Amino acid sequence: MTKHKDKNLIELVKGGSVSLVIKLMGMLFGYLSMLFITKYFGAEEWGVYSLCITVLSVAIIFPKFGFDTSLVRIIAELNVKNKQDQISGVLLRSTLISIALSLLVIVAITLFADVVVSKVIKQPEMLYYFKIISIAIIPMALLTIYSSLFQALKKTAFFMLFQATLINVVFFILLIFYYNFEIDFSGTFNLYVIAVFIVLISLILFLVITIKKLNTDKITKREKPSFGYLKIFKISFPMMMSSSFALLIGWVDIFMLSYYKTTTDIGIYNTTLKLAALSTITLMAVNAIATPKFGEFYISKNIAGLKETVKNSTKMIFLTSTPILLALIVFARPILGFFGEEFKVGYLSLIYLCISRFINAISGSVGYLMQMTDQQNQFQNVLIVAFVINLILNYLLIPKYSYEGAAIASGLSMIFWNLALVIIIKRKLGFWTFYNPLQNLRE
């Protein structure tokens, strides 16, 4: 038993460390891109770029259909049942569904872009960018879905590389060319879309190799697929709803800032969001390796192994996130000043966001744990309530307090759903996900 625990801990630490290094590289290039845009193009261009990313993120919710999470759960089950030869079939069915849904979204954007820009976003320049966003929907959705396959197969290095790191690297290189050679791409977001296409092509090449290896390693059996279209739909739909509301919780403040305030305010607030996200580096890195393990332990009915993995992962997240959060809180004003004097006014927003990220860190990987243990419907319901809370608070606070109000609304909704999920997991699985350093000292 002890050897089994040690093996799981080593796998978690090793996989988490690799993911962390790659994630750090991706974030480094992400922040370099942010710094480059804010320094050479100003807060307004950064605001336009941020708004485009937000709209694209919302636009691919339906095309992704929760596959980026459900595939991890499905493939974990296929691995446990020794049916790896069915993975390519699941991926093909998911791809066809995603492309069909993408086309529906593109048609909707084409028909309603004028109304959304004039009545909701109220930023006239976005009408042009809606056309660019339409072009990016299919490649971005497929990029997100295909990268999750590597997570499910515990190839965390490839997962983290293709999920975000390579896009940030390619995007930054394109920014340098754009600026130094004065190439007219009509905005920095267009360069991001080009980066998405480049990374998707490279991902497909690696994916083909991986699928071929899976099929050659296993003897293909003529049997009914374990996951047809209907079963994939049933698993994925609540996960799509959960990811939809999680994303909306994170981005509704951007939309409401665009409605009530200026792109400069969006640029300042989005910078505080990016900085607060530094504290979640380990959370994302640990999730990359822990999520498929959650699924495998649960399917195997090994609750003791599941509890131990959760405990170790939360401990890693807490110990690495806390110093970053303290640094961001103490040095909020000078850190923001690094992006320009106009960004210093957002220091209170950064502090509010960091407080909520601390609760997020000590709660552990509650969202992924819920979805890997067949509690995706309850997870979805909690996030719907959190979204309503966030929406109401943004409506009440943004008109008067601008980005500070947005930070308070976002922070309180995050604290709510983390604490709610911790309590649900305790009731359903019988253990707390919280990491308590004082308890560990007593032990």
Side-chain angles (χ1 to χ4, degrees), residues 65 67 70 74 86 88-101 224-237:
F65 206 72
F67 293 139
S70 65
I74 290 169
Q86 294 189 20
S88 58
V90 170
L91 192 62
L92 176 61
R93 287 185 279 277
S94 303
T95 300
L96 294 175
I97 294 171
S98 179
I99 292 174
L101 295 175
K224 185 179 179 181
S226 300
F227 294 91
Y229 284 101
L230 184 59
K231 193 170 183 180
I232 292 173
F233 180 89
K234 286 181 177 179
I235 295 174
S236 301
F237 181 74

PDB file of all heavy atoms in Angstrom, residues 65 67 70 74 86 88-101 224-237:
ATOM      1  N   PHE A  65     -18.218  21.694 -26.701  1.00  0.00           N
ATOM      2  CA  PHE A  65     -19.241  20.812 -26.146  1.00  0.00           C
ATOM      3  C   PHE A  65     -18.754  20.001 -24.932  1.00  0.00           C
ATOM      4  O   PHE A  65     -19.216  18.888 -24.683  1.00  0.00           O
ATOM      5  CB  PHE A  65     -19.773  19.864 -27.223  1.00  0.00           C
ATOM      6  CG  PHE A  65     -21.175  19.394 -26.957  1.00  0.00           C
ATOM      7  CD1 PHE A  65     -22.248  20.253 -27.103  1.00  0.00           C
ATOM      8  CD2 PHE A  65     -21.417  18.098 -26.546  1.00  0.00           C
ATOM      9  CE1 PHE A  65     -23.543  19.829 -26.851  1.00  0.00           C
ATOM     10  CE2 PHE A  65     -22.716  17.658 -26.287  1.00  0.00           C
ATOM     11  CZ  PHE A  65     -23.786  18.528 -26.434  1.00  0.00           C
ATOM     12  N   PHE A  67     -15.976  18.550 -24.598  1.00  0.00           N
ATOM     13  CA  PHE A  67     -15.099  17.441 -24.976  1.00  0.00           C
ATOM     14  C   PHE A  67     -13.711  17.540 -24.348  1.00  0.00           C
ATOM     15  O   PHE A  67     -13.064  16.519 -24.105  1.00  0.00           O
ATOM     16  CB  PHE A  67     -14.953  17.365 -26.503  1.00  0.00           C
ATOM     17  CG  PHE A  67     -16.214  17.000 -27.228  1.00  0.00           C
ATOM     18  CD1 PHE A  67     -16.566  17.629 -28.410  1.00  0.00           C
ATOM     19  CD2 PHE A  67     -17.052  16.013 -26.733  1.00  0.00           C
ATOM     20  CE1 PHE A  67     -17.739  17.299 -29.087  1.00  0.00           C
ATOM     21  CE2 PHE A  67     -18.219  15.659 -27.391  1.00  0.00           C
ATOM     22  CZ  PHE A  67     -18.567  16.309 -28.573  1.00  0.00           C
ATOM     23  N   SER A  70     -14.663  15.903 -21.023  1.00  0.00           N
ATOM     24  CA  SER A  70     -15.303  14.578 -21.111  1.00  0.00           C
ATOM     25  C   SER A  70     -14.393  13.526 -21.735  1.00  0.00           C
ATOM     26  O   SER A  70     -14.443  12.358 -21.358  1.00  0.00           O
ATOM     27  CB  SER A  70     -16.605  14.665 -21.912  1.00  0.00           C
ATOM     28  OG  SER A  70     -16.367  15.017 -23.251  1.00  0.00           O
ATOM     29  N   ILE A  74     -13.727   9.821 -20.429  1.00  0.00           N
ATOM     30  CA  ILE A  74     -14.027   8.676 -21.292  1.00  0.00           C
ATOM     31  C   ILE A  74     -12.786   7.822 -21.529  1.00  0.00           C
ATOM     32  O   ILE A  74     -12.830   6.583 -21.423  1.00  0.00           O
ATOM     33  CB  ILE A  74     -14.609   9.162 -22.636  1.00  0.00           C
ATOM     34  CG1 ILE A  74     -16.019   9.723 -22.424  1.00  0.00           C
ATOM     35  CG2 ILE A  74     -14.644   8.029 -23.668  1.00  0.00           C
ATOM     36  CD1 ILE A  74     -16.580  10.456 -23.623  1.00  0.00           C
ATOM     37  N   GLN A  86     -10.388   1.866 -29.040  1.00  0.00           N
ATOM     38  CA  GLN A  86     -11.609   2.622 -29.330  1.00  0.00           C
ATOM     39  C   GLN A  86     -11.417   4.140 -29.213  1.00  0.00           C
ATOM     40  O   GLN A  86     -12.346   4.905 -29.497  1.00  0.00           O
ATOM     41  CB  GLN A  86     -12.741   2.180 -28.394  1.00  0.00           C
ATOM     42  CG  GLN A  86     -13.189   0.740 -28.608  1.00  0.00           C
ATOM     43  CD  GLN A  86     -14.439   0.407 -27.816  1.00  0.00           C
ATOM     44  OE1 GLN A  86     -15.194   1.291 -27.407  1.00  0.00           O
ATOM     45  NE2 GLN A  86     -14.672  -0.878 -27.591  1.00  0.00           N
ATOM     46  N   SER A  88      -9.587   6.268 -30.973  1.00  0.00           N
ATOM     47  CA  SER A  88      -9.657   7.006 -32.244  1.00  0.00           C
ATOM     48  C   SER A  88     -11.100   7.200 -32.690  1.00  0.00           C
ATOM     49  O   SER A  88     -11.458   8.251 -33.245  1.00  0.00           O
ATOM     50  CB  SER A  88      -8.860   6.270 -33.330  1.00  0.00           C
ATOM     51  OG  SER A  88      -9.348   4.946 -33.504  1.00  0.00           O
ATOM     52  N   GLY A  89     -11.962   6.217 -32.449  1.00  0.00           N
ATOM     53  CA  GLY A  89     -13.373   6.327 -32.808  1.00  0.00           C
ATOM     54  C   GLY A  89     -14.075   7.404 -32.001  1.00  0.00           C
ATOM     55  O   GLY A  89     -14.879   8.177 -32.531  1.00  0.00           O
ATOM     56  N   VAL A  90     -13.769   7.450 -30.710  1.00  0.00           N
ATOM     57  CA  VAL A  90     -14.339   8.491 -29.836  1.00  0.00           C
ATOM     58  C   VAL A  90     -13.898   9.876 -30.306  1.00  0.00           C
ATOM     59  O   VAL A  90     -14.697  10.811 -30.368  1.00  0.00           O
ATOM     60  CB  VAL A  90     -13.914   8.262 -28.370  1.00  0.00           C
ATOM     61  CG1 VAL A  90     -14.290   9.463 -27.501  1.00  0.00           C
ATOM     62  CG2 VAL A  90     -14.551   7.004 -27.812  1.00  0.00           C
ATOM     63  N   LEU A  91     -12.624   9.988 -30.667  1.00  0.00           N
ATOM     64  CA  LEU A  91     -12.085  11.275 -31.117  1.00  0.00           C
ATOM     65  C   LEU A  91     -12.729  11.712 -32.430  1.00  0.00           C
ATOM     66  O   LEU A  91     -13.054  12.898 -32.614  1.00  0.00           O
ATOM     67  CB  LEU A  91     -10.567  11.172 -31.286  1.00  0.00           C
ATOM     68  CG  LEU A  91      -9.814  12.492 -31.467  1.00  0.00           C
ATOM     69  CD1 LEU A  91      -9.969  13.379 -30.245  1.00  0.00           C
ATOM     70  CD2 LEU A  91      -8.342  12.240 -31.749  1.00  0.00           C
ATOM     71  N   LEU A  92     -12.934  10.763 -33.346  1.00  0.00           N
ATOM     72  CA  LEU A  92     -13.563  11.078 -34.628  1.00  0.00           C
ATOM     73  C   LEU A  92     -14.996  11.564 -34.426  1.00  0.00           C
ATOM     74  O   LEU A  92     -15.414  12.571 -35.028  1.00  0.00           O
ATOM     75  CB  LEU A  92     -13.554   9.843 -35.529  1.00  0.00           C
ATOM     76  CG  LEU A  92     -14.271   9.998 -36.884  1.00  0.00           C
ATOM     77  CD1 LEU A  92     -13.617  11.095 -37.721  1.00  0.00           C
ATOM     78  CD2 LEU A  92     -14.276   8.672 -37.649  1.00  0.00           C
ATOM     79  N   ARG A  93     -15.763  10.869 -33.582  1.00  0.00           N
ATOM     80  CA  ARG A  93     -17.149  11.274 -33.339  1.00  0.00           C
ATOM     81  C   ARG A  93     -17.210  12.659 -32.678  1.00  0.00           C
ATOM     82  O   ARG A  93     -18.071  13.484 -33.020  1.00  0.00           O
ATOM     83  CB  ARG A  93     -17.862  10.223 -32.482  1.00  0.00           C
ATOM     84  CG  ARG A  93     -18.182   8.941 -33.256  1.00  0.00           C
ATOM     85  CD  ARG A  93     -18.989   7.967 -32.423  1.00  0.00           C
ATOM     86  NE  ARG A  93     -18.156   7.200 -31.509  1.00  0.00           N
ATOM     87  CZ  ARG A  93     -17.488   6.098 -31.842  1.00  0.00           C
ATOM     88  NH1 ARG A  93     -17.528   5.647 -33.092  1.00  0.00           N
ATOM     89  NH2 ARG A  93     -16.767   5.456 -30.959  1.00  0.00           N
ATOM     90  N   SER A  94     -16.286  12.915 -31.768  1.00  0.00           N
ATOM     91  CA  SER A  94     -16.230  14.221 -31.107  1.00  0.00           C
ATOM     92  C   SER A  94     -15.890  15.324 -32.103  1.00  0.00           C
ATOM     93  O   SER A  94     -16.445  16.431 -32.041  1.00  0.00           O
ATOM     94  CB  SER A  94     -15.180  14.198 -29.983  1.00  0.00           C
ATOM     95  OG  SER A  94     -15.458  13.186 -29.043  1.00  0.00           O
ATOM     96  N   THR A  95     -14.975  15.027 -33.027  1.00  0.00           N
ATOM     97  CA  THR A  95     -14.579  16.005 -34.043  1.00  0.00           C
ATOM     98  C   THR A  95     -15.745  16.378 -34.944  1.00  0.00           C
ATOM     99  O   THR A  95     -15.975  17.561 -35.233  1.00  0.00           O
ATOM    100  CB  THR A  95     -13.420  15.443 -34.902  1.00  0.00           C
ATOM    101  OG1 THR A  95     -12.301  15.169 -34.065  1.00  0.00           O
ATOM    102  CG2 THR A  95     -13.018  16.445 -35.980  1.00  0.00           C
ATOM    103  N   LEU A  96     -16.489  15.371 -35.401  1.00  0.00           N
ATOM    104  CA  LEU A  96     -17.623  15.624 -36.298  1.00  0.00           C
ATOM    105  C   LEU A  96     -18.692  16.472 -35.601  1.00  0.00           C
ATOM    106  O   LEU A  96     -19.262  17.396 -36.202  1.00  0.00           O
ATOM    107  CB  LEU A  96     -18.222  14.303 -36.777  1.00  0.00           C
ATOM    108  CG  LEU A  96     -17.309  13.450 -37.681  1.00  0.00           C
ATOM    109  CD1 LEU A  96     -17.956  12.107 -37.981  1.00  0.00           C
ATOM    110  CD2 LEU A  96     -16.984  14.199 -38.980  1.00  0.00           C
ATOM    111  N   ILE A  97     -18.967  16.156 -34.340  1.00  0.00           N
ATOM    112  CA  ILE A  97     -19.943  16.944 -33.580  1.00  0.00           C
ATOM    113  C   ILE A  97     -19.460  18.387 -33.440  1.00  0.00           C
ATOM    114  O   ILE A  97     -20.218  19.346 -33.637  1.00  0.00           O
ATOM    115  CB  ILE A  97     -20.179  16.334 -32.180  1.00  0.00           C
ATOM    116  CG1 ILE A  97     -20.850  14.960 -32.309  1.00  0.00           C
ATOM    117  CG2 ILE A  97     -21.041  17.266 -31.326  1.00  0.00           C
ATOM    118  CD1 ILE A  97     -20.933  14.189 -30.994  1.00  0.00           C
ATOM    119  N   SER A  98     -18.178  18.554 -33.124  1.00  0.00           N
ATOM    120  CA  SER A  98     -17.600  19.887 -32.912  1.00  0.00           C
ATOM    121  C   SER A  98     -17.663  20.737 -34.178  1.00  0.00           C
ATOM    122  O   SER A  98     -18.014  21.928 -34.122  1.00  0.00           O
ATOM    123  CB  SER A  98     -16.150  19.759 -32.435  1.00  0.00           C
ATOM    124  OG  SER A  98     -15.565  21.042 -32.253  1.00  0.00           O
ATOM    125  N   ILE A  99     -17.319  20.153 -35.314  1.00  0.00           N
ATOM    126  CA  ILE A  99     -17.338  20.903 -36.575  1.00  0.00           C
ATOM    127  C   ILE A  99     -18.774  21.329 -36.922  1.00  0.00           C
ATOM    128  O   ILE A  99     -19.011  22.469 -37.350  1.00  0.00           O
ATOM    129  CB  ILE A  99     -16.718  20.077 -37.717  1.00  0.00           C
ATOM    130  CG1 ILE A  99     -15.203  19.910 -37.481  1.00  0.00           C
ATOM    131  CG2 ILE A  99     -16.971  20.741 -39.066  1.00  0.00           C
ATOM    132  CD1 ILE A  99     -14.522  18.996 -38.475  1.00  0.00           C
ATOM    133  N   ALA A 100     -19.730  20.425 -36.723  1.00  0.00           N
ATOM    134  CA  ALA A 100     -21.134  20.748 -37.011  1.00  0.00           C
ATOM    135  C   ALA A 100     -21.614  21.906 -36.132  1.00  0.00           C
ATOM    136  O   ALA A 100     -22.267  22.846 -36.609  1.00  0.00           O
ATOM    137  CB  ALA A 100     -22.013  19.519 -36.789  1.00  0.00           C
ATOM    138  N   LEU A 101     -21.263  21.854 -34.850  1.00  0.00           N
ATOM    139  CA  LEU A 101     -21.665  22.919 -33.930  1.00  0.00           C
ATOM    140  C   LEU A 101     -20.950  24.232 -34.244  1.00  0.00           C
ATOM    141  O   LEU A 101     -21.519  25.323 -34.098  1.00  0.00           O
ATOM    142  CB  LEU A 101     -21.381  22.496 -32.486  1.00  0.00           C
ATOM    143  CG  LEU A 101     -22.183  21.294 -31.973  1.00  0.00           C
ATOM    144  CD1 LEU A 101     -21.736  20.902 -30.576  1.00  0.00           C
ATOM    145  CD2 LEU A 101     -23.681  21.604 -31.981  1.00  0.00           C
ATOM    146  N   LYS A 224     -18.788  -3.738 -30.430  1.00  0.00           N
ATOM    147  CA  LYS A 224     -19.578  -2.512 -30.411  1.00  0.00           C
ATOM    148  C   LYS A 224     -18.847  -1.443 -29.616  1.00  0.00           C
ATOM    149  O   LYS A 224     -18.353  -1.715 -28.517  1.00  0.00           O
ATOM    150  CB  LYS A 224     -20.950  -2.798 -29.782  1.00  0.00           C
ATOM    151  CG  LYS A 224     -21.893  -1.614 -29.827  1.00  0.00           C
ATOM    152  CD  LYS A 224     -23.238  -1.982 -29.212  1.00  0.00           C
ATOM    153  CE  LYS A 224     -24.180  -0.774 -29.236  1.00  0.00           C
ATOM    154  NZ  LYS A 224     -25.491  -1.113 -28.628  1.00  0.00           N
ATOM    155  N   PRO A 225     -18.773  -0.205 -30.161  1.00  0.00           N
ATOM    156  CA  PRO A 225     -18.086   0.871 -29.434  1.00  0.00           C
ATOM    157  C   PRO A 225     -18.718   1.111 -28.062  1.00  0.00           C
ATOM    158  O   PRO A 225     -19.947   1.110 -27.926  1.00  0.00           O
ATOM    159  CB  PRO A 225     -18.274   2.089 -30.344  1.00  0.00           C
ATOM    160  CG  PRO A 225     -18.535   1.529 -31.701  1.00  0.00           C
ATOM    161  CD  PRO A 225     -19.262   0.241 -31.470  1.00  0.00           C
ATOM    162  N   SER A 226     -17.875   1.309 -27.063  1.00  0.00           N
ATOM    163  CA  SER A 226     -18.380   1.571 -25.712  1.00  0.00           C
ATOM    164  C   SER A 226     -19.013   2.947 -25.613  1.00  0.00           C
ATOM    165  O   SER A 226     -19.870   3.190 -24.759  1.00  0.00           O
ATOM    166  CB  SER A 226     -17.227   1.459 -24.704  1.00  0.00           C
ATOM    167  OG  SER A 226     -16.662   0.174 -24.737  1.00  0.00           O
ATOM    168  N   PHE A 227     -18.570   3.860 -26.489  1.00  0.00           N
ATOM    169  CA  PHE A 227     -19.069   5.227 -26.452  1.00  0.00           C
ATOM    170  C   PHE A 227     -19.524   5.672 -27.840  1.00  0.00           C
ATOM    171  O   PHE A 227     -18.720   6.115 -28.661  1.00  0.00           O
ATOM    172  CB  PHE A 227     -17.991   6.179 -25.914  1.00  0.00           C
ATOM    173  CG  PHE A 227     -17.635   5.947 -24.476  1.00  0.00           C
ATOM    174  CD1 PHE A 227     -16.606   5.084 -24.122  1.00  0.00           C
ATOM    175  CD2 PHE A 227     -18.354   6.573 -23.473  1.00  0.00           C
ATOM    176  CE1 PHE A 227     -16.285   4.863 -22.797  1.00  0.00           C
ATOM    177  CE2 PHE A 227     -18.052   6.352 -22.130  1.00  0.00           C
ATOM    178  CZ  PHE A 227     -17.009   5.498 -21.792  1.00  0.00           C
ATOM    179  N   GLY A 228     -20.828   5.510 -28.075  1.00  0.00           N
ATOM    180  CA  GLY A 228     -21.413   6.008 -29.311  1.00  0.00           C
ATOM    181  C   GLY A 228     -21.754   7.482 -29.173  1.00  0.00           C
ATOM    182  O   GLY A 228     -21.469   8.119 -28.150  1.00  0.00           O
ATOM    183  N   TYR A 229     -22.389   8.036 -30.190  1.00  0.00           N
ATOM    184  CA  TYR A 229     -22.716   9.459 -30.190  1.00  0.00           C
ATOM    185  C   TYR A 229     -23.589   9.839 -28.996  1.00  0.00           C
ATOM    186  O   TYR A 229     -23.349  10.864 -28.333  1.00  0.00           O
ATOM    187  CB  TYR A 229     -23.452   9.833 -31.484  1.00  0.00           C
ATOM    188  CG  TYR A 229     -22.552   9.944 -32.687  1.00  0.00           C
ATOM    189  CD1 TYR A 229     -22.476   8.914 -33.621  1.00  0.00           C
ATOM    190  CD2 TYR A 229     -21.775  11.090 -32.897  1.00  0.00           C
ATOM    191  CE1 TYR A 229     -21.650   9.012 -34.737  1.00  0.00           C
ATOM    192  CE2 TYR A 229     -20.947  11.201 -34.005  1.00  0.00           C
ATOM    193  CZ  TYR A 229     -20.888  10.159 -34.919  1.00  0.00           C
ATOM    194  OH  TYR A 229     -20.058  10.258 -36.011  1.00  0.00           O
ATOM    195  N   LEU A 230     -24.604   9.032 -28.688  1.00  0.00           N
ATOM    196  CA  LEU A 230     -25.538   9.361 -27.624  1.00  0.00           C
ATOM    197  C   LEU A 230     -24.861   9.359 -26.252  1.00  0.00           C
ATOM    198  O   LEU A 230     -25.075  10.268 -25.432  1.00  0.00           O
ATOM    199  CB  LEU A 230     -26.715   8.382 -27.624  1.00  0.00           C
ATOM    200  CG  LEU A 230     -27.827   8.669 -26.601  1.00  0.00           C
ATOM    201  CD1 LEU A 230     -28.415  10.057 -26.838  1.00  0.00           C
ATOM    202  CD2 LEU A 230     -28.915   7.594 -26.675  1.00  0.00           C
ATOM    203  N   LYS A 231     -24.020   8.355 -25.998  1.00  0.00           N
ATOM    204  CA  LYS A 231     -23.350   8.266 -24.699  1.00  0.00           C
ATOM    205  C   LYS A 231     -22.331   9.393 -24.531  1.00  0.00           C
ATOM    206  O   LYS A 231     -22.208   9.972 -23.444  1.00  0.00           O
ATOM    207  CB  LYS A 231     -22.661   6.902 -24.558  1.00  0.00           C
ATOM    208  CG  LYS A 231     -22.212   6.613 -23.133  1.00  0.00           C
ATOM    209  CD  LYS A 231     -21.766   5.174 -22.974  1.00  0.00           C
ATOM    210  CE  LYS A 231     -21.379   4.873 -21.537  1.00  0.00           C
ATOM    211  NZ  LYS A 231     -20.945   3.475 -21.358  1.00  0.00           N
ATOM    212  N   ILE A 232     -21.615   9.707 -25.607  1.00  0.00           N
ATOM    213  CA  ILE A 232     -20.678  10.837 -25.561  1.00  0.00           C
ATOM    214  C   ILE A 232     -21.439  12.123 -25.265  1.00  0.00           C
ATOM    215  O   ILE A 232     -20.996  12.959 -24.462  1.00  0.00           O
ATOM    216  CB  ILE A 232     -19.913  10.969 -26.899  1.00  0.00           C
ATOM    217  CG1 ILE A 232     -18.968   9.776 -27.089  1.00  0.00           C
ATOM    218  CG2 ILE A 232     -19.115  12.270 -26.941  1.00  0.00           C
ATOM    219  CD1 ILE A 232     -18.290   9.728 -28.450  1.00  0.00           C
ATOM    220  N   PHE A 233     -22.603  12.270 -25.899  1.00  0.00           N
ATOM    221  CA  PHE A 233     -23.430  13.458 -25.691  1.00  0.00           C
ATOM    222  C   PHE A 233     -23.863  13.573 -24.229  1.00  0.00           C
ATOM    223  O   PHE A 233     -23.780  14.653 -23.623  1.00  0.00           O
ATOM    224  CB  PHE A 233     -24.662  13.396 -26.600  1.00  0.00           C
ATOM    225  CG  PHE A 233     -25.584  14.580 -26.461  1.00  0.00           C
ATOM    226  CD1 PHE A 233     -25.401  15.714 -27.234  1.00  0.00           C
ATOM    227  CD2 PHE A 233     -26.643  14.550 -25.549  1.00  0.00           C
ATOM    228  CE1 PHE A 233     -26.249  16.810 -27.095  1.00  0.00           C
ATOM    229  CE2 PHE A 233     -27.491  15.632 -25.407  1.00  0.00           C
ATOM    230  CZ  PHE A 233     -27.288  16.767 -26.188  1.00  0.00           C
ATOM    231  N   LYS A 234     -24.332  12.463 -23.648  1.00  0.00           N
ATOM    232  CA  LYS A 234     -24.825  12.483 -22.269  1.00  0.00           C
ATOM    233  C   LYS A 234     -23.730  12.857 -21.266  1.00  0.00           C
ATOM    234  O   LYS A 234     -23.986  13.554 -20.286  1.00  0.00           O
ATOM    235  CB  LYS A 234     -25.419  11.113 -21.906  1.00  0.00           C
ATOM    236  CG  LYS A 234     -26.772  10.839 -22.552  1.00  0.00           C
ATOM    237  CD  LYS A 234     -27.314   9.485 -22.122  1.00  0.00           C
ATOM    238  CE  LYS A 234     -28.700   9.242 -22.716  1.00  0.00           C
ATOM    239  NZ  LYS A 234     -29.228   7.907 -22.333  1.00  0.00           N
ATOM    240  N   ILE A 235     -22.530  12.382 -21.509  1.00  0.00           N
ATOM    241  CA  ILE A 235     -21.416  12.708 -20.610  1.00  0.00           C
ATOM    242  C   ILE A 235     -20.940  14.137 -20.834  1.00  0.00           C
ATOM    243  O   ILE A 235     -20.650  14.873 -19.879  1.00  0.00           O
ATOM    244  CB  ILE A 235     -20.245  11.722 -20.814  1.00  0.00           C
ATOM    245  CG1 ILE A 235     -20.661  10.308 -20.395  1.00  0.00           C
ATOM    246  CG2 ILE A 235     -19.012  12.156 -20.033  1.00  0.00           C
ATOM    247  CD1 ILE A 235     -19.623   9.253 -20.694  1.00  0.00           C
ATOM    248  N   SER A 236     -20.880  14.548 -22.085  1.00  0.00           N
ATOM    249  CA  SER A 236     -20.268  15.832 -22.438  1.00  0.00           C
ATOM    250  C   SER A 236     -21.160  17.036 -22.177  1.00  0.00           C
ATOM    251  O   SER A 236     -20.661  18.115 -21.844  1.00  0.00           O
ATOM    252  CB  SER A 236     -19.859  15.824 -23.920  1.00  0.00           C
ATOM    253  OG  SER A 236     -18.950  14.794 -24.192  1.00  0.00           O
ATOM    254  N   PHE A 237     -22.490  16.858 -22.352  1.00  0.00           N
ATOM    255  CA  PHE A 237     -23.382  18.021 -22.250  1.00  0.00           C
ATOM    256  C   PHE A 237     -23.288  18.740 -20.907  1.00  0.00           C
ATOM    257  O   PHE A 237     -23.105  19.971 -20.878  1.00  0.00           O
ATOM    258  CB  PHE A 237     -24.827  17.615 -22.533  1.00  0.00           C
ATOM    259  CG  PHE A 237     -25.781  18.773 -22.455  1.00  0.00           C
ATOM    260  CD1 PHE A 237     -25.825  19.730 -23.470  1.00  0.00           C
ATOM    261  CD2 PHE A 237     -26.629  18.921 -21.363  1.00  0.00           C
ATOM    262  CE1 PHE A 237     -26.695  20.805 -23.402  1.00  0.00           C
ATOM    263  CE2 PHE A 237     -27.500  19.997 -21.281  1.00  0.00           C
ATOM    264  CZ  PHE A 237     -27.539  20.938 -22.297  1.00  0.00           C
TER     265      PHE A 237
END
